[in-house]
């Protein structure tokens, strides 16, 4: 129980342990140590309001590990050290639920809710029924069983009667307590229902990671959460940072049969109890309403805030608050009569797949893009969706002419969920993947471990266009007024053939084109001239070397005094650089081993571009020299890009991920997995935005 005892008492207990650290915490107080660690885990993972520095937490955690190592007989499965599993799961056995996991009846508008309320009042014989209203979390449902205060089993919903046992995977989720003192209210065994979620930030990050690996991104956070629960390696599950919300106590048995615990007489009170016991449950204080009209208003207001939530919800769930009334109403074989889901506007739609267009990217990758009969999804018109690669098309069994279900979750790029195979007429055509480039007709190639086919003709017009577009883009050389449309037009008209051509454009010809007055030509000329003086890292990024993003480009720029110095670097030397792994090093090495690329760089230098690292010549200065930084979450005072620029101008360096080389992780609001990862390393300072600003002042 975390909130019953006052926080200052917990802090006193924490202090006592921290003081004991110097002499070594005796094995005799192991349970006290565990209790204190659990309290702080709750503050961190459930309340997102830690009271202890990461460093101090780690010290206590290590002390516990040490005692357990020295006295293995004291290890208990619910110890905070015991989440980590090292063995792969062989299978997920099917287990019966103590109580069937039913569906919910659906409602879509105020009318439906008024109907629901009418029926509830009729059946219960009451004139007014208070309701509890919660978000309908859009993840995977799970059941958790606690016996004598310990988590003993976790299972997926399955067919509602029996599901898959996934206990080891659920143990990796930090918002699920391994122990919870149900016994304090007389409960011996309890089954709890909840939803496993992947929050939007983690989901987007995970998809980015998949796409960077040439793998197929997932359609929505719900699939990501359910899929993660089925991973055989619990350590992988731990990395995905899932979260669990619990919303129902579906079964319990009492130590002494006689009395029904007071805390369980209403749904809101049950949620409150679960919260007390250390679970993450919906806010229980503000969600009880005495009339259906208030329920309707609350649901409408909540829908407006949907996108601002860190995780996906697809509606609200309205539940009769009094447990006695719930029992009176009972359930059908499909759903309880005392609850109803209020579904938000769908973010799914069905439409027809009318064709496939193959687009050739800057690196020659050929991406199939599904052309759709335009349809509105969640307020946005969608007419084309990337379908990634051949494997993806095969896996989803997509055919031209198919009706497809598409989804646009929150801030996520629309995806095809599936094709509705049952709606086929037989006239649908399989999608044929070209064997030659749709633009230059040269043969396509695919690397063994990759899913994408590539055009490897470096002269391929499609690639040239995309490369030039990237070169002039905002984050690269930022040639204002050039833009995608102009690049395409100039290339089409034969005025531009390659990157150096940007600097030798024939403006007398351009002046004859429609839409190019003197003013716009002057501006364009000026922007091109300015781009020659852009710092080296921008040029490196502009070159579009595979796997070299903006951060790596900066690292590279800082490593040399002249760009062509990279010709002397071995792959091993490249790997010594910050954040450069084998794959990235290999790609950079290849780039600088290619005579054509060297010739390109020499030409650019002749045309007046800066290949020298101007800053490197003068020794770096600033208060952050030698310090590395990473930002996560949303900052409130500064923009992320501003903050990053401040790090650089003060001589600090930015990293792209949490690693042993990181000195400061600046955590804004709703910071996610990076903080958890950084917490594991005591040498990383986790600071907030204000502390960061203070640091600059020094
Ligand atoms: P459905 O799958 O549409 O029949 O809806 C039922 C499912 O909604 C349950 O199995 C739960 O997984 C899920 N759900 C999400 N949030 C809640 C909540 N607050 N209360 C009850 N069920 C919920
Ligand atoms: Zn081609």
């Amino acid at each position: 129980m975390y909130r019953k005892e006052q926080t200052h008492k917990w802090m006193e207990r924490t202090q006592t342990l921290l003081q004991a650290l110097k002499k070594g915490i005796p094995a005799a107080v192991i349970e006290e140590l565990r209790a204190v660690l659990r309290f702080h885990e709750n503050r961190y993972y459930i309340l997102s309001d830690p009271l202890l520095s990461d460093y101090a937490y780690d010290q206590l955690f290590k002390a516990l590990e040490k005692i357990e190592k020295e006295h293995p007989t004291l290890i208990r499965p619910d110890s905070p050290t015991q989440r980590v599993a090292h063995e792969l799961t062989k299978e997920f056995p099917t287990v019966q639920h103590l109580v069937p996991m039913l569906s919910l009846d659906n409602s879509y508008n105020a009318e439906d809710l008024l109907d629901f309320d009418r029926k509830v009042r009729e059946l219960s014989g009451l004139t007014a029924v208070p309701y509890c209203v919660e978000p309908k979390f859009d993840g995977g449902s799970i059941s958790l069983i606690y016996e004598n205060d310990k988590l003993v089993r976790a299972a997926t919903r399955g067919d509602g009667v029996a599901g898959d046992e996934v206990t080891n995977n659920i143990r990796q989720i930090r918002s699920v307590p391994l122990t919870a003192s149900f016994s304090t209210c007389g409960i011996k065994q309890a089954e709890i229902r909840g939803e496993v979620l992947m929050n939007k930030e983690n989901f987007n990050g995970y998809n980015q990671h998949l796409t960077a690996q040439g793998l197929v991104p997932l359609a929505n956070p719900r699939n990501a959460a359910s899929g993660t629960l089925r991973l055989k390696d619990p350590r992988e599950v731990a990395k995905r940072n899932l979260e669990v919300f619990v919303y129902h106590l579906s079964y319990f048995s009492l130590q002494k049969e006689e009395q029904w615990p007071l805390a369980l007489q209403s749904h809101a009170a049950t949620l409150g109890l679960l919260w007390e016991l250390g679970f993450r449950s919906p806010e229980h204080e503000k969600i009880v309403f005495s009339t259906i009209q208030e329920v309707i208003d609350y649901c409408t207001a909540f829908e407006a805030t949907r996108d601002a939530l860190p995780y996906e919800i697809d509606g609200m769930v309205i539940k009769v608050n009094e447990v006695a009334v719930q029992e009176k109403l009972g359930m059908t074989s499909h759903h309880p009569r005392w609850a109803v889901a209020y579904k938000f506007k769908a973010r799914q739609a069905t439409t027809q797949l009318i064709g496939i267009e193959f687009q050739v990217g800057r690196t020659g990758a050929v991406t199939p893009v599904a052309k759709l009969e335009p349809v509105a999804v969640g307020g946005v018109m969608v007419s084309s969706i990337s379908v990634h690669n051949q494997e993806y098309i095969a896996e989803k069994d997509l055919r031209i002419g198919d009706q497809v279900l598409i989804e646009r979750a929150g801030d996520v790029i629309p995806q095809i969920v599936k094709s509705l195979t049952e709606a086929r007429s037989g006239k649908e055509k399989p999608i044929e993947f070209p064997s030659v480039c749709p633009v230059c007709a040269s043969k396509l190639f695919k690397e063994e471990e990759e899913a994408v086919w590539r055009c490897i003709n470096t002269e391929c017009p499609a690639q040239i266009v995309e490369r030039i577009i990237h070169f002039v883009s905002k984050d690269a050389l930022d040639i204002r007024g050039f833009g995608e449309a102009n690049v395409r037009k100039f290339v089409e008209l034969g005025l531009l053939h390659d990157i150096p051509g940007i600097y030798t454009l024939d403006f007398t010809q351009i002046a004859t084109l429609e839409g190019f007055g003197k003013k716009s030509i002057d501006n364009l000329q000026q922007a091109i001239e300015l781009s020659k003086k852009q710092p080296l890292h921008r040029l490196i990024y502009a070159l579009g070397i595979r796997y070299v993003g903006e951060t790596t480009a900066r690292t590279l720029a800082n490593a040399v005094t002249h760009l062509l110095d990279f010709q002397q670097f071995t792959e091993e030397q490249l790997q010594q650089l910050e954040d450069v792994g084998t794959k990235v090093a290999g790609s950079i090495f290849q780039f600088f081993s290619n005579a054509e690329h060297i010739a390109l760089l020499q030409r650019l230098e002749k045309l007046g571009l800066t290949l020298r690292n101007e800053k490197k010549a003068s020794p770096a200065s600033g208060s952050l020299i030698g310090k590395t930084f990473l930002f996560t979450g949303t900052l409130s005072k500064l923009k992320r890009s501003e903050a990053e620029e401040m790090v650089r101008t003060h001589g600090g360096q930015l990293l792209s991920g949490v690693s042993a080389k990181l000195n400061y992780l600046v955590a804004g609001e709703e910071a996610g997995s990076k903080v958890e990862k950084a917490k594991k390393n005591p040498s990383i300072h986790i600071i907030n935005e204000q502390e960061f600003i203070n640091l600059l002042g020094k």
Side-chain angles (χ1 to χ4, degrees), residues 58-283:
D58 280 337
Q59 295 299 302
L60 294 178
F61 193 87
K62 282 188 184 137
L64 175 59
E65 282 181 323
K66 185 160 171 272
I67 300 176
E68 290 180 347
K69 201 164 166 212
E70 284 161 8
H71 309 274
T73 54
L74 295 180
I75 297 177
R76 300 281 175 273
D78 65 332
S79 171
T81 60
Q82 300 301 302
R83 287 192 188 265
V84 218
H86 298 290
E87 296 201 347
L88 292 188
T89 311
K90 285 191 202 69
E91 54 166 358
F92 301 111
T94 307
V95 291
Q96 299 283 316
H97 297 305
L98 298 185
V99 176
M101 290 176 85
L102 299 181
S103 267
L104 288 170
D105 201 11
N106 287 329
S107 67
Y108 299 91
N109 48 44
E111 280 298 294
D112 293 350
L113 288 178
L114 290 169
D115 264 355
F116 168 74
D117 175 57
R118 205 170 301 129
K119 267 188 228 141
V120 165
R121 282 185 291 118
E122 249 169 53
L123 288 171
S124 63
L126 297 168
T127 44
V129 180
Y131 297 104
C132 207
V133 187
E134 308 158 3
K136 184 167 189 297
F137 305 101
D138 196 10
S141 28
I142 47 152
S143 118
L144 305 171
I145 297 183
Y146 287 80
E147 264 167 27
N148 301 320
D149 296 347
K150 309 281 182 268
L151 173 69
V152 293
R153 192 183 95 179
T156 62
R157 172 169 164 179
D159 63 3
V161 177
D164 293 341
E165 203 229 280
V166 289
T167 317
N168 273 341
N169 284 351
I170 292 292
R171 290 175 68 91
Q172 310 306 316
I173 304 174
R174 310 295 287 246
S175 44
V176 176
L178 298 179
T179 180
S181 33
F182 285 98
S183 54
T184 51
C185 44
I187 295 177
K188 202 165 88 194
Q189 190 191 32
E191 186 184 41
I192 297 166
R193 298 284 160 77
E195 202 84 354
V196 183
L197 307 171
M198 185 182 284
N199 73 29
K200 292 177 193 168
E201 187 191 350
N202 282 328
F203 174 72
N204 281 330
Y206 181 58
N207 262 354
Q208 266 166 25
H209 163 82
L210 288 177
T211 346
Q213 308 278 308
L215 299 170
V216 172
L218 298 167
N220 51 45
R222 174 176 5 98
N223 293 0
S226 318
T228 302
L229 282 189
R230 286 191 167 66
L231 292 177
K232 301 264 167 169
D233 187 349
R235 281 165 302 186
E236 277 302 310
V237 180
K239 283 191 208 151
R240 305 261 182 99
N241 296 305
L242 298 178
E243 294 164 41
V244 166
F245 275 93
V246 302
Y247 45 71
H248 189 48
L249 177 63
S250 49
Y251 170 84
F252 62 87
S253 67
L254 295 172
Q255 286 158 338
K256 285 194 226 98
E257 272 315 319
E258 63 276 20
Q259 85 269 42
W260 183 282
L262 207 59
L264 303 177
Q265 290 183 351
S266 74
H267 182 65
T270 309
L271 292 180
L273 174 71
L274 291 172
W275 179 255
E276 280 297 334
L277 293 175
F279 291 88
R280 180 186 279 179
S281 56
E283 281 181 85

Side-chain angles (χ1 to χ4, degrees), residues 360 364 366 436-442 444 455-457 459-463:
V360 185
V366 177
V436 298
C437 172
V439 177
C440 73
S442 59
L444 297 181
C455 166
I456 57 165
N457 170 16
E459 298 299 309
C460 173
Q463 290 179 53

Side-chain angles (χ1 to χ4, degrees), residues 357-370:
E357 204 176 274
F358 292 92
Q359 291 179 353
V360 185
R362 166 163 68 81
T363 60
V366 177
T367 312
V369 178

Side-chain angles (χ1 to χ4, degrees), residues 406-575:
I406 66 174
E407 172 161 336
R408 192 188 68 93
D411 325 319
V412 184
I413 308 166
Q415 304 275 345
I416 293 189
V417 181
K418 61 176 180 181
S419 72
L420 307 175
T421 49
E422 61 281 3
R424 279 184 184 155
S425 68
K427 294 208 187 97
E428 294 74 17
K429 290 200 209 65
I431 294 164
E432 283 183 40
F433 222 84
S435 56
V436 298
C437 172
V439 177
C440 73
S442 59
K443 196 164 176 285
L444 297 181
F445 288 89
K446 186 165 98 96
E447 274 170 52
E448 191 83 52
E449 72 282 11
E450 278 204 343
V452 287
W453 288 88
R454 279 175 206 282
C455 166
I456 57 165
N457 170 16
T458 46
E459 298 299 309
C460 173
Q463 290 179 53
I464 292 174
V465 168
E466 295 300 329
R467 258 183 265 145
I468 301 176
I469 290 173
H470 175 72
F471 195 86
V472 303
S473 69
K474 189 160 167 294
D475 295 329
L477 285 204
D478 191 19
I479 309 188
R480 311 255 164 108
F482 216 123
E484 191 171 330
N486 282 339
V487 173
R488 289 191 196 284
K489 189 185 275 171
F490 295 164
V491 171
E492 211 168 284
L493 294 174
L495 296 171
L496 180 61
H497 305 278
D498 52 13
I499 289 170
I502 297 169
Y503 298 95
T504 58
L505 277 174
D506 181 351
F507 283 97
T508 48
Q509 283 230 32
I510 293 176
T512 66
L513 301 178
E514 208 189 294
F516 284 92
K518 179 159 171 9
K519 187 96 198 288
S520 64
I521 290 192
D522 279 353
N523 287 345
L524 186 56
Q525 259 176 319
Q526 209 179 11
I528 292 175
E529 208 48 43
L530 275 176
S531 75
K532 295 181 178 172
K533 296 284 164 280
Q534 287 282 26
L536 184 58
H537 65 86
R538 280 183 172 266
L539 175 63
I540 298 177
Y541 175 68
L543 292 171
I545 307 170
R546 247 171 111 190
Y547 309 124
V548 177
E550 286 175 84
T551 309
T552 313
R554 283 182 196 270
T555 309
L556 293 178
N558 282 329
V560 288
T561 45
H562 191 281
L563 186 53
L564 289 172
D565 294 351
F566 278 116
Q567 284 176 280
Q568 269 77 55
F569 274 60
T570 63
E571 285 193 60
E572 288 71 31
Q573 283 169 322
L574 288 167
Q575 283 175 36

